[in-house]
Amino acid sequence: NGEAVTVGEGSLVRVVAYVAEARTSNVSSGESVNCKRKGKANNDIHITLVRRPDDPPCAGIVAEVIPHFRPRAWQDTAIAAIKRPVRVAGHLFFDSSHLPCNEDGYAVGGNPARVSAWKIHPLYAFEVCKHTTLATCRGDHDEDWTPLGKP
């Protein structure tokens, strides 16, 4: 609608993008935020979202699925296999514990590959477009989207 919108930590956001990768983090050691519990079921799924299917992870942003709100269909392998645009919604979170990629497009040190320290964490909605391109997947038209796990 052309109006300026202020967003920041905790703002509910919705993003339309492609999945570059999805993986469960720290399966063997556990994440501190999840009480160092081991295994896929106890750790976050880190999803890299990009504008174009062939964009590298350093051009993307991170969205995370937490173990405390994870429908059965939201598994890292299922998410990584999606080749259509997705629409995700969750809270904006500034992750000051990690650095974004450098200007040459490489991850710095042991930091995850991403363009920004802002991420979407946790996700509350994950939908897959009924069409195959961003041009035909209208973010503001609910009829273009199917929740992940629904036929």
Side-chain angles (χ1 to χ4, degrees), residues 69-93:
F69 181 82
R70 186 181 305 165
R72 190 175 305 250
W74 296 17
Q75 300 300 318
D76 56 0
T77 53
I79 294 169
I82 297 169
K83 302 303 177 206
R84 296 172 178 265
V86 299
R87 182 171 77 170
V88 300
H91 288 288
L92 196 57
F93 177 81

Side-chain angles (χ1 to χ4, degrees), residues 119-139:
K119 65 183 179 181
I120 305 169
H121 185 275
L123 286 184
Y124 296 120
F126 196 110
E127 300 164 299
V128 180
C129 188
K130 295 175 182 176
H131 311 292
T132 57
T133 67
L134 281 179
T136 57
C137 295
R138 302 163 297 176

